[in-house]
């Protein structure tokens, strides 16, 4: 970004809540059903129907409020947000306006300098999703699928505390991780279960007053959030530096062209005429209810990261990676519990070879072809010197390919490490005898050559000699 | 008149109503009367009154998170003006 400018960003995140049924009806929320097979009379806005609130969404919103250190409102109210669009059958969306269920929360992110930064959460409110309009393949019509209508959403609104696209992404990732830890949303971005709008403005450094903001829509991946915001920052600075003015408008991000453009030039100003929905009574949440929910809170990413660095003595970056998702953290802890190997070694393997293999096969940790116990079995064999770390990689690949557990693979392939010092000494003697020139150089002071000798011994033993022992024996013999 | 013609025009636009000039004149009068009537409430001192969200002194009943509805698409779409491949058809929406 250009020097002399400051960026101000606030995010609105829509997290789809992972309920079985809709927020106000008993229709299913399962993804991918044939069009309109999960849209009942309530979702279709038929006359005479009444919405009845799903108790699970209240519970989920409460858990969320507690997780971000917010106030869970003792009394909250649903309101109608009025606008016309074909995928909104009632002509209004049931949302919350003046009295949302969650207010005044906070979230800590790591800023660009690696420090903790507090991001305020203004509010989080419950609302229903709209249906989906389909334009492709239809000549003079649009098709409407109302399966999604009435799906519960939690809209999480941040304070304008974010100062760069990177911070916005860090905030969004943290929020993504929290809703998944709480198991209140599956966070699936391809299916639209976790999406984001960004309010972006720029101002000269030192200026108090905020610049005119634009709202960016359609940001359904972490990468797009970063790119769209960066494009928009540059665009706004250019407009102002050219003597123009930023227009307050809604802009769509086009990922193909990597640019934002205004949604509609003559869009009428928003006038939603919110009012309390007479079909729904106020929602009351008792202190006892909140206390019960507090007992059910899982350990959250920040606390888990702190515990991982303290209890397992992990590098902070590794603890951060491992606690990014709850299943990954659980996998790590299960593996640590099942082996005597050092937790940092387990962490290296989970972050390295295991994550690499998962990525390669596009698998989630839950579908890993090597279980936590199996990985622990492999690491135990490194720990007790049965195999070297290098051979272990070979064993891991065989395990991944379904050739059995670590011991089976080691036996079948004859990969057991040579720890018999007589055997190693014999090989070392051969290597020394075969390379008189290098031996002379080494003895004359070129100690870097130790690597050469280790390499030759490992080659001769097909990598199965214990590297520590090889080093020790080589040094002893070369110094004789 | 408590409402201007411009305000009524805005309200009509939000409600997607197409009014004639005569209807506008009439609406300005009638709607202004309603607003004036309700405006009498402003005379009441409401400093110690909590905003009312609902006239009933009751709390929202909650429903267990259970799927209770079955697929009635074919039956429900008998009411629709146009359908295709399970979709409700509407005049083209330009984005």
């Amino acid at each position: 970004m250009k020097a002399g400018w400051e960026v101000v960003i606030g995010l609105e995140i829509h997290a789809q809540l992972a309920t079985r049924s809709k927020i106000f009806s008993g229709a299913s929320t399962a993804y991918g059903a044939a069009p309109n097979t999960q849209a009942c009379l309530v979702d279709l806005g038929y006359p005479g129907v009444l919405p009845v609130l799903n108790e699970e969404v209240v519970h989920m919103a409460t858990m969320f409020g507690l997780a971000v250190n917010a106030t869970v409102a003792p009394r909250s109210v649903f309101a109608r947000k009025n606008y016309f669009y074909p995928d909104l059958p009632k002509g209004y969306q049931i949302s919350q306006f003046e009295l949302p269920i969650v207010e005044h929360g906070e979230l800590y992110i790591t800023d660009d300098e690696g420090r903790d930064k507090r991001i305020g959460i203004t509010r989080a409110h419950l609302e229903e999703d709209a249906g989906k309009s389909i334009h492709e393949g239809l000549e003079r019509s649009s098709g409407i699928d109302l399966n999604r209508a009435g799906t519960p959403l939690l809209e999480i609104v941040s304070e304008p505390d974010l100062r760069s696209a990177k911070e916005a992404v860090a905030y969004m990732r943290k929020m993504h991780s929290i809703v998944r830890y709480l198991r209140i949303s599956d966070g699936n971005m391809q299916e639209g279960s976790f999406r984001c709008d960004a309010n972006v403005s720029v101002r000269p450094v030192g200026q108090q007053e905020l610049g005119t903001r634009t709202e960016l829509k359609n940001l359904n991946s972490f990468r797009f959030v970063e790119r769209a915001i960066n494009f928009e920052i540059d665009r706004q600075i250019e407009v102002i530096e050219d003597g123009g003015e930023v227009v307050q408008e809604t802009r769509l991000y086009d990922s193909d062209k990597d640019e934002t453009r205004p949604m509609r030039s003559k869009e009428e100003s928003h006038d939603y005429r919110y009012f309390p929905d007479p079909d729904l009574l106020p929602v009351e949440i008792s202190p006892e209810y909140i206390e019960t929910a507090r007992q059910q809170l899982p350990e959250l990413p920040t606390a888990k990261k702190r515990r991982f660095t303290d209890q397992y003595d992990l590098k902070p970056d590794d603890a951060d990676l491992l606690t990014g998702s709850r299943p990954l953290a659980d996998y790590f802890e299960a593996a640590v519990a099942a082996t005597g190997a050092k937790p940092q070694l387990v962490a290296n393997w989970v972050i390295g070879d295991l994550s690499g293999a998962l990525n390669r096969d596009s698998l989630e940790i839950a579908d890993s072809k090597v279980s936590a116990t199996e990985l622990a079995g492999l690491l135990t064999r490194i720990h007790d010197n049965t195999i070297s770390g290098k051979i272990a990689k070979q064993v891991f690949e065989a395990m991944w390919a379904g050739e059995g557990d670590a011991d089976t693979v080691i036996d079948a392939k004859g990969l057991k490490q040579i720890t018999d010092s007589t055997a190693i000494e014999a090989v070392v003697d051969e290597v020394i005898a075969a390379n008189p020139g290098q031996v002379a150089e080494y003895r004359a002071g070129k100690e870097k050559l130790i690597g050469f000798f280790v390499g030759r011994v490992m080659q001769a033993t097909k990598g199965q000699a214990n590297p520590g022992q090889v080093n020790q024996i080589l040094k002893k013999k070369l110094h004789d | 008149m408590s409402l201007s013609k411009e305000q009524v025009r805005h309200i009509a636009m939000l409600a997607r109503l197409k009014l004639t000039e005569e209807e506008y004149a009439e609406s300005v009068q009638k709607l202004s009367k309603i607003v004036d009537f309700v405006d009498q409430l402003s005379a009441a001192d409401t400093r110690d009154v909590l905003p009312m969200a609902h006239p009933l002194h009751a709390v929202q009943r909650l429903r267990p998170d259970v799927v209770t509805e079955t697929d009635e698409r074919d039956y429900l779409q008998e009411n629709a003006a146009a359908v295709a491949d399970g979709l409700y058809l509407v005049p083209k929406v330009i984005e």
Side-chain angles (χ1 to χ4, degrees):
Chain A
M1 206 216 2
K2 276 201 169 172
W5 291 92
E6 184 182 46
V7 181
V8 178
I9 304 164
L11 292 188
E12 290 168 20
I13 292 174
H14 286 87
Q16 183 181 318
L17 296 175
T19 55
R20 282 184 283 271
S21 65
K22 292 188 177 172
I23 182 167
F24 298 120
S25 83
S28 170
T29 55
Y31 181 81
N36 293 307
T37 54
Q38 291 173 178
C40 70
L41 291 169
V42 174
D43 309 325
L44 295 172
Y46 268 63
V49 300
L50 277 177
V52 186
L53 185 60
N54 186 335
E55 64 182 9
E56 195 57 29
V57 304
V58 175
H59 181 243
M60 288 173 164
T62 304
M63 298 279 280
F64 175 78
L66 293 172
V68 296
N69 202 18
T71 308
V72 177
R75 184 167 174 275
S76 68
V77 169
F78 282 98
R80 293 186 179 179
K81 177 180 178 176
N82 299 281
Y83 67 93
F84 286 117
Y85 205 74
D87 60 20
L88 189 75
K90 296 191 295 299
Y92 59 86
Q93 176 192 28
I94 305 177
S95 181
Q96 295 190 301
F97 188 56
E98 281 168 324
L99 297 169
I101 193 160
V102 168
E103 276 188 293
H104 314 305
E106 61 184 10
L107 191 71
Y108 284 85
I109 60 164
T110 308
D111 71 7
D112 298 350
E113 274 90 50
R115 289 180 306 229
D116 278 351
K117 177 172 177 180
R118 179 189 183 275
I119 307 299
I121 294 166
T122 316
R123 57 186 276 154
H125 63 254
L126 290 167
E127 62 184 26
E128 57 178 346
D129 206 347
K132 209 167 77 182
S133 306
I134 292 151
H135 309 289
E136 292 85 39
L138 294 162
E139 279 288 313
R140 263 182 243 121
S141 328
S142 292
I144 307 293
D145 176 7
L146 294 166
N147 282 348
R148 208 178 60 188
T151 298
L153 299 178
L154 187 66
E155 179 174 335
I156 307 157
V157 182
S158 86
E159 292 288 313
D161 289 343
L162 300 157
R163 290 292 173 274
S164 72
K166 264 176 101 175
E167 282 188 11
V169 173
Y171 168 85
M172 196 179 169
R173 278 191 192 279
K174 195 68 176 278
M175 197 59 88
H176 188 248
S177 163
I178 284 176
V179 299
R180 290 181 28 139
Y181 261 69
L182 294 171
R183 306 217 163 107
I184 63 173
S185 174
D186 66 17
N188 188 320
M189 296 171 92
Q190 272 98 44
E191 293 174 5
S193 305
F194 193 85
R195 48 193 201 260
C196 160
D197 300 338
N199 289 305
V200 180
S201 68
V202 299
R203 62 181 171 192
V205 170
Q207 180 181 307
Q208 284 298 308
E209 188 190 339
L210 290 171
T212 306
R213 67 184 160 86
T214 57
E215 184 179 6
L216 308 182
K217 289 214 179 261
N218 205 20
L219 308 175
N220 59 0
S221 84
F222 296 119
R223 200 160 48 101
F224 291 168
V225 169
E226 182 160 2
R227 282 163 54 173
I229 292 176
N230 277 331
F231 175 87
E232 187 58 19
I233 291 169
D234 291 344
R235 189 191 69 84
Q236 290 187 10
I237 292 175
E238 204 175 299
V239 166
I240 298 170
E241 286 188 339
D242 288 351
E245 273 181 22
V246 173
V247 182
Q248 182 166 347
E249 62 187 355
T250 303
R251 298 176 71 90
L252 266 183
Y253 177 65
D254 182 335
S255 56
D256 292 332
K257 293 184 183 148
D258 190 22
E259 63 175 29
T260 67
R261 57 168 183 267
M263 265 179 85
R264 242 165 291 158
S265 50
K266 281 189 180 170
E267 194 179 17
E268 294 290 340
S269 63
H270 291 309
D271 191 346
Y272 293 128
R273 294 150 293 145
Y274 282 97
F275 64 90
D277 191 328
D279 286 348
L280 288 153
L281 291 155
V283 178
E284 289 194 354
I285 299 180
S286 69
E288 296 75 39
Y289 182 92
I290 294 175
E291 222 23 68
T292 309
R294 200 189 298 278
Q295 304 302 321
Q296 297 167 355
L297 273 185
E299 186 183 31
L300 291 165
T302 310
K304 204 184 271 288
K305 181 188 166 187
R306 204 176 308 127
R307 181 168 66 79
F308 274 25
T309 45
D310 293 350
Q311 181 181 343
Y312 299 122
D313 207 17
L314 296 185
K315 293 183 218 156
D317 281 356
D318 292 348
D320 206 28
L321 278 172
L322 290 173
T323 54
S325 99
R326 199 168 151 187
L328 192 67
D330 290 347
Y331 184 103
F332 166 76
E333 290 208 279
V336 169
T339 177
K342 279 209 171 123
Q344 182 64 54
L345 180 72
V346 180
N348 294 346
W349 274 81
V350 171
I351 292 164
D353 292 73
L354 179 77
S355 296
L358 290 170
N359 276 343
R360 196 176 60 210
D361 290 2
S362 306
L363 292 176
E364 295 293 326
I365 184 83
D367 309 315
S368 173
K369 293 183 183 174
V370 172
S371 73
T373 329
E374 287 166 341
L375 182 70
L378 173 66
L379 301 184
T380 298
R381 291 297 164 252
I382 301 178
H383 181 64
D384 67 13
N385 281 325
T386 306
I387 52 172
S388 67
K390 201 168 168 193
I391 292 289
K393 288 178 186 290
Q394 200 182 325
V395 178
F396 177 82
E397 286 308 325
M399 291 166 72
W400 191 262
E403 293 174 30
D405 65 11
D407 288 344
T408 311
V409 173
I410 293 166
D411 280 350
K413 296 191 184 260
L415 294 172
K416 205 162 181 297
Q417 183 162 255
I418 304 165
T419 50
D420 173 1
S421 49
T422 331
I424 297 176
E425 277 182 32
V427 181
V428 168
D429 287 339
E430 281 170 34
V431 169
I432 287 178
N435 300 284
Q438 281 83 351
V439 172
E441 279 182 62
Y442 179 87
R443 287 185 174 145
K446 201 171 173 188
E447 295 199 348
K448 273 197 297 188
L449 278 171
I450 190 77
F452 164 80
F453 293 112
V454 172
R456 284 299 158 99
V457 175
M458 295 311 280
Q459 207 175 4
T461 57
K462 299 197 183 87
Q464 281 167 252
N466 177 299
Q469 273 177 300
V470 170
N471 238 297
Q472 202 188 347
I473 293 170
L474 261 170
K475 281 189 177 154
K476 199 178 105 227
K477 293 211 176 251
L478 285 166
H479 286 122
D480 277 350
Chain B
M1 286 301 137
S2 49
L3 286 178
S4 69
K5 190 174 169 190
E6 268 324 296
Q7 283 173 308
V8 174
R9 210 182 281 283
H10 182 62
I11 296 165
M13 188 277 299
L14 290 171
R16 300 294 186 271
L17 293 176
K18 194 175 181 181
L19 302 183
T20 63
E21 281 308 307
E22 292 79 49
E23 284 169 327
Y24 268 116
E26 195 186 336
S27 301
V28 169
Q29 274 203 347
K30 285 186 172 170
L31 284 175
S32 291
K33 271 189 182 166
I34 294 170
V35 170
D36 293 342
F37 175 70
V38 177
D39 255 355
Q40 294 177 62
L41 285 171
S42 309
D45 180 358
T46 55
R47 264 175 302 182
D48 299 322
V49 182
L50 274 179
M52 185 179 69
H54 202 280
L56 300 181
H57 287 283
V59 171
Q60 179 61 38
R61 191 170 67 81
L62 302 177
R63 168 180 70 74
D65 180 26
V66 177
V67 175
T68 51
E69 296 292 334
T70 51
D71 172 20
E72 292 187 282
R73 183 178 76 184
D74 293 344
Y75 170 62
L76 293 170
Q77 290 196 333
E78 284 175 21
N79 286 330
V83 293
D85 301 327
L87 299 168
Y88 292 93
L89 295 186
V90 298
K92 188 117 193 153
V93 187
I94 295 136
E95 187 58 45

